[in-house]
Amino acid sequence: MIVQLLETIHQVTLSMEMAIKEGNITEFDRFINSRQELMDQVDEYRLSNPNHQYSPEERKILEKILRIDQNLTPTIEEQLNETYSVLNLIRKSKQVSKYRPYMKQLNGAFIDRKK
């Protein structure tokens, strides 16, 4: 049972890797949610069988998953930093645009308005 779950997690992790390489964030997010559900099932199994020890075959699968995750981490962090940069630029441009309506300029000359 657990071997099948781990194999499925491995396949989903490979799909996550392909999605992130293709830049398909929507698919990547879908795979993350799917993988989390499978991991929850593994956790439930482990809770119901507290004396379960991973077999050598299960350990190999877990090591493959770990290697893929370690390879994906830098790419994901890079894309996350790019997203934060874009969000900061958007926030700054919104702050600047708040002040623009208050400026009164005509043809590069400042006109002081007194009443």
Side-chain angles (χ1 to χ4, degrees), residues 30-110:
R30 189 176 63 79
F31 288 130
I32 281 194
N33 293 331
S34 171
R35 186 173 83 159
Q36 184 60 48
E37 290 173 8
L38 293 166
M39 288 180 171
D40 290 343
Q41 291 177 18
V42 170
D43 289 342
E44 288 174 17
Y45 177 82
R46 295 272 315 204
L47 286 174
S48 64
N49 300 308
N51 294 329
H52 174 76
Q53 296 293 320
Y54 288 119
S55 69
E57 180 184 1
E58 293 167 346
R59 288 184 186 273
K60 281 184 180 179
I61 297 168
L62 289 169
E63 288 173 6
K64 288 179 188 177
I65 295 168
L66 179 63
R67 270 188 250 119
I68 294 169
D69 277 349
Q70 288 172 339
N71 289 337
L72 284 178
T73 301
T75 306
I76 294 169
E77 286 176 351
E78 180 182 319
Q79 290 186 359
L80 186 62
N81 288 335
E82 287 176 20
T83 303
Y84 284 140
S85 296
V86 169
L87 285 173
N88 284 335
L89 286 173
I90 291 171
R91 284 186 193 119
K92 285 180 184 178
S93 69
K94 284 185 178 183
Q95 288 175 349
V96 168
S97 67
K98 283 195 269 185
Y99 299 109
R100 209 166 273 164
Y102 300 110
M103 293 178 18
K104 188 76 168 177
Q105 278 191 328
L106 299 172
N107 297 331
F110 177 75

